[in-house]
Amino acid sequence: MNQEGSDRNDVPLQTQTQTQPGDPGAYFLGLDSKRWEVHKFGGTSVASADCFLKAAAIVEDQLGIGVLPPSHSNPNPNPNDTPKHLAVVVSAMGGKPKVTDLLLNSVSAAADGDETQVEALLGRIQEKHDTCIDSLFPQNTQQKLKDQIQSDISDLRDILKTVSLMKWQASRIRELVSGFGELWSSQILASLLSDQAQKRHSTGTPSPDKFTHHFTYVDARRIITIDEDAIQDGAVCWDISQAKVNEVYAQEGARLLPKGEDCLNHCLHMVITGYVASNTQGVATTLQRDGSDYSAAIMGRLLKSNNITIWTDVDGVLSADPRRVPEAHVIPEVSYNEAMELAYFGAKVIHPKTMQPAIMAHPQIPIYIRNTFNSSFHGTRIYTSSTTHTDRDKCVCGFSSIENVALVNVEGSGMMGVQGIARRLFGTLESIGINVILISQASSEHSITFATTANEAPKAIECLEEEFKRELTLKRISSIDVQMPCAIIAAVGDGMWNTSGVAGRFFSALGDAKINILAISQGCSERNISAVVFENESTRALRAIHAAFRLSHTVVRVGIVGVNDIGESLLKLLEGERNKLRQTFELDLQVCAVALDGRSSDLVISKSPVTFGVAGGSVTSAAYHKAMKSNPSKHCVSFTSEDDNRDIANVVQGGASALCQHVLIEDNAHSVIFDCTAEEEVGKMHATWLSSGVNVVTANSTGLSGPLELRKAISDAELRQGKLSASYLHEVTVGGALPVLSTLRDLLNSGDKIRRVDGIFSVAMSYLMWNMSPPESVTENTNFDEAYTHGAFRGDLIMPTSQHPNAEEGISFSTAVAEAIALDLMEEDVVTDLSNEYTARILMVLAKELGIKIDGNVHTIQDASDKLVDSGTKVEDFKKLSADLDEQLKDRIAKANLKGCVLRHLGSVDVKTGAIEIKFVEVPHNHVFAITPPTCAIVRFFTERHMVYPLIVQGPAAGADSTASALLAELLNLMRSKVGPRNGALVRANSSAKLTRSSHHVAMKALNKFALSYEQGTV
């Protein structure tokens, strides 16, 4: 008996425009010199009357005779084309409950002697089919089908009585009973298609293709024959089955088609039962698991079909399980090998045995996976090529996993170089029927690791310990260990072959997601990389590698504390830039939790915090304020924001201290908290967040300039997990939007040695001193820049102008402070700036970066500084001191003027001595410190390479929009190493410049308001 049989080596290829098999326009002539296609409808596709109507409409659409618009795969038929002949394979009715399940349950109930349950199950089967038939057919057709099903159920009842008497359910009986569902559903669909064809013929409705179509029901047991003794699941007897299909088609044609030349305009289509078959003795049997798909593939090869389409309830082969990776998408094309790898590793694609007949056919047959309920969608083609062949950036087509796995490790020095160990190990497993899923062995031969199911692991350990009892006693094998539950994560793609960097990207993604890899396996075909991980980390692992290979966006869960000017601006920036970041960086920043400040007990969280790729999954500024408005709170503040009807956020208790638990979830690899406050209580939380694995991006310097214990806790948290530790990003704490710390690090990392850092660090003090002690020739410099830059230079919109009566000579200290407060340049507590606390904290951060050990605290630096007020001064006391300070500073400025200097507020760090100083310094009129504009900071680096002429970083450091942009840029720089940009580049300046202009506009309005008040004497 020939198991392989002969195929269509001598069958001609008919083409319209192309000659590649499986492509549109190319087709083969198969059985009876007809052009065949096979369509298989699964249980969900025939679960109800409506589903049957959809299936029938799809069949007619494929023939070009239906009422549906032409589908993607079936454009308007060409009358000159060879007409299609269809073989439609049908599963049993699905839905809840499935008919096959009811049938199998009836066998189990009969074996238990429960006659009542048997009758109830048979009644449900009859009712399910009767309801469907009543909705589809007229009375005469209804009764014929119902009688047939009733007769079959009567036969079933007799079979089940035998089972009840024997109290034993033989496998042969279970197979016989379970196959009845396919018989009934295929008869229903065949009758439905025949009735509709007869209606068209009786009404004289012309067919677009000028052919008359006939549909006949065929029991697959008349055709498909398997040899159950050949292998465990049976092997198809191809020669016998081929002879039978030729015979059956001839018989049905003789019965239904006219004789002679009249039959040339008639097409006969077969509606065939899936799942069932006959053995070589003619006894009914089944094709086991996924048997209906296998039936379709077998018929495809027997008929020499042009394609096989599996109609199901999904759009095609997905890149990952959508329940675990919500951004999984349909893959347009996968190869046979890729589909088999994905199916083996648990993907709900198609069983590997289904592809065998299509692969063995000559030429091979493409298989399509399409959705019955979305029939216009193209689905997935499984054939010789793959999308991974054409897009090297997506060399991986998909990811799968096997759960509930046990990892067994056999280890010992006595295994090294000893022949026969592997044979004994796997021979023992084979003898007890243990299926080995994965094997990994080190080249040292010191250990052999294999994976099996968790259920089989205890039995495997017991037998291996018995087999290697002597080696274990002599310590030649030190241990036989098992780890479970585990999961195997597999990356699959033909495009991985000969592509460098694939494994690196795979394992880097798992490492970045803090996934511990227990074992690794890869074949030399390079089509599959597998890694064993703990089962509770498998979802996070799948999402991480899915994003790493650009099959979805990398999701970063975001928390924000501090809805002040900076926090409000950051919320709007994240909302406005979200789509751009998704497109350019494939990065999705989802704001999951927002706290007003460190004192509030309220926390606004997203109602759908785990929604991937959906705008509603992120808290927006409007959503935040809507949630806070609906929740009465003493701490609630109001920002003008356009109302948003989306109810996507709600308020819970916990405040900033609960941020971490809402941002950090098990199944997501990346999370970050933005600290937009200047509160010491929030700074104390930084170490806790870092230790939990959450990245921290902060504008708050109180953590790094706090007590020694806090600084040490933050440093320890940064290093706790080595390279896998969370990142502490604090660029904004020094110079706001200016790249001060990054410049410092670049100098040190490039081998330079920094000797001194000094400058104007406080924007508030910069504004005060400029307006009290203005430099000369400001107007000339401004005029030159405006002319030379052709409009690019806009000038500082809040420089002193003729709005001040004595602008040329400078204004008083109290007036300058009032202006700075009006422009929102000073801290909420003005004493923070005037007591040098703000500048001292900046210098402590710089000192830490320079490696200078500081035993004291910020107050030690303040006390030694040249300050205007003491740190403990109350605002009321400061108002009383204003007059004295006016006179005091006026005298100091006058003395400086006599020397041709201006007074400036400077801070410095001397690396050699470790000295940190803050003082007022008399600066020459033409010095860079003198002419640094207000609202700007300036930092000078004196290094071994920049000794005479220092490296200078200067620019606007104030403004909520600029600071928010800098905070976002910090995060993007961190994520850029994990997700490179597809197009475009990371340019922080673009958004900052745009936002800074907005800040200047707001500042100008504030200053105009102040000037008016000044003229009216109400300041």
Side-chain angles (χ1 to χ4, degrees), residues 756-772:
R756 175 185 174 88
V757 180
D758 62 20
I760 301 174
F761 295 96
S762 170
V763 172
M765 297 305 295
S766 172
Y767 183 85
L768 297 182
M769 301 315 299
W770 171 283
N771 284 280
M772 289 189 294

Side-chain angles (χ1 to χ4, degrees), residues 460-478:
I461 294 293
E462 181 183 353
C463 292
L464 288 177
E465 288 178 343
E466 180 65 29
E467 173 66 25
F468 294 105
K469 184 176 182 179
R470 182 171 179 272
E471 285 82 358
L472 287 166
T473 303
L474 296 175
K475 302 299 182 182
R476 292 176 181 171
I477 293 180
S478 58

Side-chain angles (χ1 to χ4, degrees), residues 330-596:
V330 174
I331 312 169
E333 290 185 351
V334 297
S335 68
Y336 293 122
N337 290 325
E338 289 173 335
M340 282 192 285
E341 291 277 2
L342 288 169
Y344 177 78
F345 281 95
K348 305 300 182 184
V349 184
I350 185 171
H351 196 277
K353 72 178 182 181
T354 300
M355 288 177 275
Q356 291 173 2
I359 294 171
M360 291 188 297
H362 301 286
Q364 295 171 330
I365 306 172
I367 300 174
Y368 293 87
I369 310 295
R370 298 183 66 182
N371 192 341
T372 304
F373 309 101
N374 186 18
S375 58
S376 61
F377 189 71
H378 54 75
T380 298
R381 184 179 79 161
I382 303 174
Y383 196 43
T384 55
S385 63
S386 165
T387 52
T388 61
H389 294 152
T390 56
D391 189 350
R392 302 299 282 183
D393 195 42
K394 291 185 177 178
C395 54
V396 172
C397 69
F399 301 90
S400 278
S401 66
I402 302 177
E403 309 298 316
N404 198 31
V405 168
L407 191 65
V408 181
N409 184 55
V410 182
E411 183 174 331
S413 58
M415 297 169 56
M416 299 171 65
V418 179
Q419 298 180 353
I421 293 290
R423 175 186 58 78
R424 289 173 58 193
L425 190 156
F426 294 111
T428 300
L429 297 175
E430 190 274 335
S431 66
I432 57 175
I434 299 293
N435 181 39
V436 176
I437 304 172
L438 174 145
I439 301 171
S440 178
Q441 182 178 16
S443 59
S444 65
E445 304 180 51
H446 182 258
S447 65
I448 299 176
T449 303
F450 67 89
T452 186
T453 62
N455 296 334
E456 293 179 326
K459 184 179 178 182
I461 294 293
E462 181 183 353
C463 292
L464 288 177
E465 288 178 343
E466 180 65 29
E467 173 66 25
F468 294 105
K469 184 176 182 179
R470 182 171 179 272
E471 285 82 358
L472 287 166
T473 303
L474 296 175
K475 302 299 182 182
R476 292 176 181 171
I477 293 180
S478 58
S479 63
I480 301 177
D481 301 320
V482 62
Q483 293 190 73
M484 63 180 187
C486 300
I488 301 176
I489 306 297
V492 175
D494 286 343
M496 292 193 295
W497 180 80
N498 210 26
T499 301
S500 60
V502 175
R505 190 188 298 186
F506 180 85
F507 295 118
S508 292
L510 294 178
D512 289 337
K514 299 178 177 62
I515 304 293
N516 183 36
I517 300 173
L518 305 176
I520 299 167
S521 178
Q522 181 181 21
C524 62
S525 67
E526 300 185 62
R527 186 177 294 116
N528 175 304
I529 300 178
S530 302
V532 183
V533 302
F534 289 114
E535 189 173 81
N536 61 353
E537 297 178 335
S538 61
T539 298
R540 188 163 86 250
L542 278 172
R543 291 177 179 176
I545 56 178
H546 194 270
F549 285 91
R550 303 191 185 283
L551 299 185
S552 63
H553 301 110
T554 297
V555 174
V556 180
R557 293 173 59 81
V558 176
I560 298 175
V561 56
V563 189
N564 44 32
D565 288 342
I566 297 173
E568 178 75 14
S569 179
L570 180 61
L571 269 173
K572 292 178 179 178
L573 185 62
L574 290 171
E575 179 184 3
E577 295 295 309
R578 189 179 183 194
N579 287 335
K580 178 181 176 181
L581 293 174
R582 285 162 59 90
Q583 295 170 6
T584 304
F585 292 94
E586 296 185 339
L587 192 66
D588 189 10
L589 304 183
Q590 296 188 355
V591 181
C592 304
V594 182
L596 174 64

Side-chain angles (χ1 to χ4, degrees), residues 640-675:
T640 56
S641 176
E642 61 183 60
D643 192 22
D644 193 329
N645 293 324
R646 293 177 297 171
D647 191 16
I648 63 175
N650 63 324
V651 179
V652 297
Q653 293 301 297
S657 59
L659 263 178
C660 202
Q661 68 187 63
H662 291 282
V663 170
L664 194 65
I665 62 172
E666 181 65 30
D667 293 335
N668 195 71
H670 306 288
S671 54
V672 64
I673 292 177
F674 288 99
D675 182 0

Side-chain angles (χ1 to χ4, degrees), residues 710-785:
L710 177 57
R711 285 178 271 151
K712 187 176 185 303
I714 292 174
S715 296
D716 291 344
E718 286 185 271
L719 304 173
R720 181 155 297 166
Q721 298 183 48
K723 292 183 178 180
L724 298 181
S725 300
S727 296
Y728 191 51
L729 308 175
H730 53 277
E731 174 80 65
V732 181
T733 61
V734 179
L738 298 182
V740 176
L741 291 183
S742 58
T743 301
L744 184 150
R745 294 182 191 126
D746 288 342
L747 289 171
L748 294 175
N749 293 336
S750 62
D752 203 350
K753 293 183 179 180
I754 297 177
R755 300 164 58 234
R756 175 185 174 88
V757 180
D758 62 20
I760 301 174
F761 295 96
S762 170
V763 172
M765 297 305 295
S766 172
Y767 183 85
L768 297 182
M769 301 315 299
W770 171 283
N771 284 280
M772 289 189 294
S773 181
E776 297 177 351
S777 306
V778 174
T779 305
E780 291 84 346
N781 293 339
T782 301
N783 293 339
F784 169 80
D785 284 331

